[in-house]
Amino acid sequence: MNMIQAINSALEVAMARDPDVIVMGEDVGYFGGVFRATAGLQKKFGKTRVFDTPITETGIVGVAIGMGAYGLRPVPEIQFADYIYPALDQLVSEAARLRYRSNGDFTAPITVRSPFGGGIFGGQTHSQSPEGIFTHVSGIKTVIPSTPYDAKGLLIAAIEDNDPVLFFEPKRIYNGPFDGHWDRPAKSWAQHPAALVPTGYYRVPLGKAAVVRPGEALTILAYGTMVHVCQAVVEEAGIDAEILDLRTLVPLDIEAIEASVQKTGRCMIVHEATRTSGFGAELSALVQERCFYHLEAPIERVTGFDTPYPHSLEWAYFPGPVRIGEALKKVMRT
Amino acid sequence: MRPNLPPLALHVPEPRFRPGDPVDFADVVIPPADAARRPDTSAQPAEFHELAYTLVRVLDENNQAVGAWNPRLAPEVLRRMLRAMARTRAFDERMFRAQRQGKTSFYMKCTGEEAVAVAATLALDYDDMCFPSYRQQGILLTRDYPLVEMMNQIYSNRGDKLHGKQLPIMYSSKETGFFSISGNLTTQYPQAVGWAMASAAKGDTRIAAAWCGEGSTAEGDFHSACTFAAVYRAPVIFNVVNNQWAISSFSGFAGAEATTFAARAIGYGIAGLRVDGNDALAVYAATQWAAERARTNQGPTLIEHFTYRAEGHSTSDDPSQYRSAEEATAWPLGDPIARLKAHLVAIGEWDDERHAAMDREVAEEVRAAQKEAEKNGVLGHGLHQPLDSLFDGVFEEMPWHLREQQAQMLAEEAASGRPWARK
């Protein structure tokens, strides 16, 4: 399966197992979603469980919270993560705080799916990576898969989780793993081992990172598309890096991070999102606090620049093989 | 700037009466009590035009219940309604005083607006879900939620079911059908629609009701909620409590100079009613009508309750700084409790003695509850929750970073040399 098929399969499995799971969002019903992630679901489960919504993100999330309070388990979709901002109040003030403010009287067991990230010539409003806005909010979990296998298992786990989960899907790797070489032909998932996805039910636990490449020379912390770009750069450079795919940003797998950095003594953090106050700053601070006496070099952050996401200058903006390669040399030099 | 055109002028609304001004509400149009038509509950939204600009009223100048909207309630129901409103007012007065005595940080009264929560709640079923704003304490009081529990929350004391996590009056009671109150305005509107949609999707028979003030209708969530409710014909009742004031800004800043709030319903394709919010029978009748409409899958209703916020916005507010003190007494629709009392007296089912006795009883009930609640402590006398509960309920299970911060906080308490909580 590619990642879209894996997500579609996760939704189908979760809906078949639990009649309270419903799917809603712009164009997700009859049409099956602009990325086809919900294709066939309305036909299989009916219009009261899979339906199109008006174009109002605050309405989509607000309604989902109300459905959650009733006892359903809604999986709303925000068509692009760039368009999640109208729903910020409902996510930050309501979903994230409902359990806390009512002392468990009401909860918001919702999973908000949203395609995110760049590398597709999406320009300013089809490329953003807003995860750092939400990792700053107490009460929300943030999950980002990097393979079809993880996408399905993590999405099922997110839907079954009783807390609100933001599930950001890196749309650049919906159809194939992207190594950052935009000038080479696109690859498909067909040859990738993580594209072998069981058709039935399984979960990948939230809050657990994956070591996608064991190594001794340094630790690379990444998630989403950047996992694949980092793998390619490391292979090309011939450096024995350990690459951790974080998979869940909140709650973070701090034990896996500590174990790796304390072993390698060096750490590089890679994300597409803009640099200042991005999630990389939190990761850098945690590694510094917890692995200071093991560090042999300053922690390096490789990120998008602090600008809006450009259109024509995409590959100058995107943290690709050159930027990551330069940072790699810097970390290894000291 | 083109010299041959008149310069544009920006209109900034201004209320008619400021502090010290004499008040004359003669231009507030009050139609006769029997004037409004009562359409069938299956009527099309387009048929509500004149109902969105008039006032549904039941109690006339002779204190009789008249017209098509008369709900013809039995005297014992009327007395129950009166008592619930009187309890609400007595509760408000006592808790306002408790705040002034430093026993808690904050309070908000609903004086003059008791009918919009009490009468509406009586017209709903007990298991219908209410999504209130912060000024519908009458819902809890009508559904006989224990006064002591309300006060425990206001005092953030040992008995507080919300464990001191919420500002006073931000109650939550799932078993009472009272959704957790949020400080963020109108967020409960789309949530109520979602709850109602879920009920419909499940083939349930329960409906939802939401409340917000007229000022809050300016929030984007009001628009998204109305759109969703209309699109899916959600079994929901939207109550807009038009009490003329949003803290210091008059209803003109929410658009009232140009139209009514009930009229907003028409554009969404929702049934819209405009009701005398100080006429408990009119509020009951409109809610009963909207509930029947919702329950029979005819869709949502928006009810504008035309009323007046007789007192300050909250204990942190001084209305004499921005409006004429004469307004509350000059308000042409009077007081909801006085009007229902006069009706019961007029039909021979009540008298001054019984009313005075009821007022004494509810005052005593509130006083006794306060005494009971204060045994659990009051906010002014320190903290009452176990300190480590600060971290409970952020997530279902506490992740490592919260466990670490919890441990840090307990270590800080130890280092401070004096226990912070432990009352």
Side-chain angles (χ1 to χ4, degrees):
Chain A
M1 291 186 198
N2 65 29
M3 194 183 281
I4 287 285
Q5 291 162 332
I7 286 163
N8 186 271
S9 175
L11 292 170
E12 187 179 335
V13 166
M15 293 189 78
R17 282 172 66 91
D18 182 351
D20 289 334
V21 175
I22 67 113
V23 166
M24 58 189 280
E26 298 158 15
D27 305 296
V28 305
Y30 184 87
F31 179 58
V34 295
F35 291 105
R36 317 306 302 149
T38 57
L41 295 178
Q42 187 180 75
K43 197 169 179 191
K44 178 158 187 182
F45 296 104
K47 288 200 292 184
T48 57
R49 292 189 64 195
V50 183
F51 53 87
D52 293 317
T53 64
I55 304 172
T56 159
E57 288 76 14
T58 182
I60 291 167
V61 175
V63 161
I65 293 168
M67 291 179 148
Y70 177 90
L72 302 190
R73 209 167 267 283
V75 189
E77 177 185 300
I78 301 296
Q79 201 160 75
F80 288 84
D82 314 65
Y83 302 135
I84 205 166
Y85 309 121
L88 266 185
D89 191 31
Q90 287 288 349
L91 287 166
V92 174
S93 311
E94 302 294 316
R97 293 172 188 196
L98 189 53
R99 178 192 295 280
Y100 191 76
R101 78 172 195 231
S102 70
N103 202 27
D105 207 11
F106 295 95
T107 58
I110 68 171
T111 301
V112 181
R113 290 183 43 247
S114 193
F116 97 128
I120 55 146
F121 277 102
Q124 296 193 16
T125 56
H126 297 79
S127 307
Q128 294 169 36
S129 300
E131 68 275 16
I133 293 172
F134 297 98
T135 55
H136 189 57
V137 177
S138 48
I140 290 184
K141 294 179 176 173
T142 302
V143 176
I144 301 173
S146 73
T147 66
Y149 182 89
D150 281 355
K152 178 171 175 180
L154 287 167
L155 182 54
I156 290 174
I159 292 169
E160 292 184 347
D161 196 281
N162 290 324
D163 290 314
V165 180
L166 274 174
F167 194 84
F168 286 124
E169 300 164 4
K171 56 187 167 306
R172 183 62 182 82
I173 55 172
Y174 268 158
N175 293 308
F178 178 58
D179 61 9
H181 291 289
W182 52 273
D183 46 352
R184 297 180 192 166
K187 297 192 186 102
S188 82
W189 281 109
Q191 309 304 321
H192 198 286
L196 284 171
V197 178
T199 52
Y201 172 86
Y202 69 94
R203 293 164 55 122
V204 172
L206 306 188
K208 290 282 173 217
V211 178
V212 295
R213 186 199 185 284
E216 302 292 332
L218 84 156
T219 298
I220 298 177
L221 304 179
Y223 49 89
T225 304
M226 286 302 134
V227 171
H228 302 280
V229 180
C230 290
Q231 279 179 284
V233 173
V234 161
E235 295 311 322
E236 287 157 18
I239 290 176
D240 187 24
E242 179 148 296
I243 301 175
L244 255 60
D245 176 359
L246 298 178
R247 301 197 291 196
T248 303
L249 305 190
V250 175
L252 187 66
D253 189 348
I254 193 68
E255 286 177 14
I257 295 170
E258 281 179 35
S260 180
V261 177
Q262 289 177 5
K263 177 179 72 174
T264 63
R266 295 169 199 269
C267 181
M268 186 168 95
I269 296 155
V270 187
H271 62 57
E272 273 186 75
T274 51
R275 186 179 186 85
T276 301
S277 302
F279 190 66
E282 178 65 28
L283 290 171
S284 178
L286 285 168
V287 170
Q288 189 273 139
E289 287 161 6
R290 289 163 180 266
C291 309
F292 183 77
Y293 295 107
H294 293 82
L295 286 174
E296 293 165 31
I299 302 158
E300 193 65 24
R301 273 187 292 161
V302 186
T303 70
F305 294 130
D306 282 336
T307 68
Y309 205 109
H311 186 239
S312 67
L313 299 173
E314 170 142 65
W315 300 116
Y317 172 92
F318 188 88
V322 175
R323 193 176 308 155
I324 295 170
E326 290 299 307
L328 203 51
K329 283 186 227 161
K330 195 174 158 193
V331 179
M332 296 311 297
R333 201 182 300 135
T334 33
Chain B
M1 294 271 281
R2 285 158 60 182
N4 58 336
L5 289 177
L8 295 168
L10 179 68
H11 172 68
V12 179
E14 181 63 26
R16 293 185 44 221
F17 317 114
R18 286 298 192 185
D21 288 346
V23 170
D24 180 4
F25 281 125
D27 63 325
V28 175
V29 180
I30 312 287
D34 59 356
R37 178 175 66 87
R38 186 182 188 278
D40 191 86
T41 52
S42 65
Q44 292 300 306
E47 297 171 38
F48 289 82
H49 192 271
E50 101 271 6
L51 285 165
Y53 287 96
T54 183
L55 278 177
V56 170
R57 305 178 67 230
V58 171
L59 294 172
D60 70 6
E61 58 275 20
N62 301 316
N63 303 311
Q64 296 296 320
V66 298
W69 286 92
N70 180 5
R72 301 177 189 283
L73 297 177
E76 58 267 26
V77 178
L78 295 175
R79 285 190 289 262
R80 191 180 161 208
M81 194 183 273
L82 185 70
R83 191 179 185 92
M85 289 200 287
R87 280 176 93 223
T88 304
R89 188 164 294 180
F91 185 87
D92 274 359
E93 283 169 7
R94 195 103 203 157
M95 289 297 98
F96 187 89
R97 205 155 56 236
Q99 191 277 340
R100 289 296 188 246
Q101 291 166 344
K103 292 175 176 175
T104 189
S105 57
F106 183 75
Y107 192 71
M108 296 177 106
K109 296 169 104 172
C110 67
T111 310
E113 302 172 37
E114 290 88 350
V116 303
V118 169
T121 304
L122 284 173
L124 295 170
D125 283 347
Y126 189 87
D127 57 0
D128 293 332
M129 181 60 88
C130 298
F131 290 77
S133 81
Y134 46 69
R135 221 183 289 281
Q136 282 81 48
Q137 52 267 56
I139 298 169
L140 286 173
L141 284 143
T142 304
R143 287 186 167 174
D144 291 323
Y145 187 71
L147 300 184
V148 175
E149 298 291 356
M150 293 176 77
M151 291 172 176
N152 286 341
Q153 198 281 329
I154 289 165
Y155 288 140
S156 272
N157 64 18
R158 278 188 299 280
D160 177 10
K161 287 186 168 170
L162 305 185
H163 289 190
K165 290 184 158 87
Q166 270 275 46
L167 192 70
I169 72 152
M170 304 276 183
Y171 313 105
S172 173
S173 178
K174 192 172 189 174
E175 71 275 12
T176 314
F178 189 95
F179 188 71
S180 160
I181 295 177
S182 168
N184 294 61
L185 298 177
T186 331
T187 50
Q188 75 278 12
Y189 252 56
Q191 293 163 5
V193 176
W195 196 96
M197 287 172 66
S199 184
K202 283 290 184 184
D204 199 345
T205 57
R206 295 177 289 166
I207 64 172
W211 282 258
C212 78
E214 92 285 348
S216 300
T217 63
E219 293 281 6
D221 273 342
F222 178 82
H223 166 70
S224 68
C226 287
T227 303
F228 260 86
V231 166
Y232 302 98
R233 285 188 212 156
V236 63
I237 304 171
F238 293 133
N239 295 285
V240 174
V241 184
N242 177 6
N243 66 13
Q244 317 300 322
W245 290 93
I247 308 186
S248 76
S249 56
F250 85 116
S251 58
F253 284 100
E257 284 184 333
T259 185
T260 69
F261 295 97
R264 305 233 190 270
I266 297 169
Y268 289 104
I270 294 175
L273 301 171
R274 192 161 179 266
V275 172
D276 176 350
N278 291 8
D279 178 343
L281 294 185
V283 171
Y284 183 99
T287 309
Q288 186 184 43
W289 184 96
E292 186 187 320
R293 184 175 174 87
R295 259 186 251 288
T296 51
N297 289 306
Q298 307 291 338
T301 303
L302 189 155
I303 305 172
E304 173 185 348
H305 301 271
F306 195 63
T307 182
Y308 187 80
R309 196 193 78 209
E311 300 204 17
H313 168 70
S314 72
T315 48
S316 306
D317 180 44
D318 175 9
S320 73
Q321 298 296 308
Y322 51 79
R323 70 183 188 186
S324 173
E326 283 181 30
E327 279 193 20
T329 45
W331 182 246
L333 293 172
D335 176 84
I337 295 177
R339 284 174 67 190
L340 186 57
K341 175 197 172 192
H343 171 58
L344 270 162
V345 171
I347 61 173
E349 292 289 347
W350 199 241
D351 55 51
D352 285 340
E353 290 70 39
R354 290 168 81 179
H355 195 84
M358 176 192 72
D359 276 344
R360 279 193 303 275
E361 283 163 27
V362 295
E364 175 52 33
E365 184 195 1
V366 171
R367 200 192 63 80
Q370 186 185 23
K371 209 172 158 187
E372 202 57 33
E374 290 183 1
K375 287 182 189 163
N376 296 322
V378 298
L379 183 68
H381 296 173
L383 302 170
H384 303 284
Q385 280 74 36
L387 209 48
D388 51 3
S389 73
L390 177 77
F391 294 88
D392 291 343
V394 179
F395 296 102
E396 185 174 40
E397 286 169 27
M398 203 182 298
W400 65 270
H401 63 289
L402 292 181
R403 284 199 307 274
E404 283 192 0
Q405 292 168 28
Q406 186 182 46
Q408 177 194 341
M409 182 198 61
L410 293 172
E412 286 170 9
E413 186 195 23
S416 75
R418 65 189 170 92
W420 292 349
R422 317 293 191 267
K423 268 280 175 185

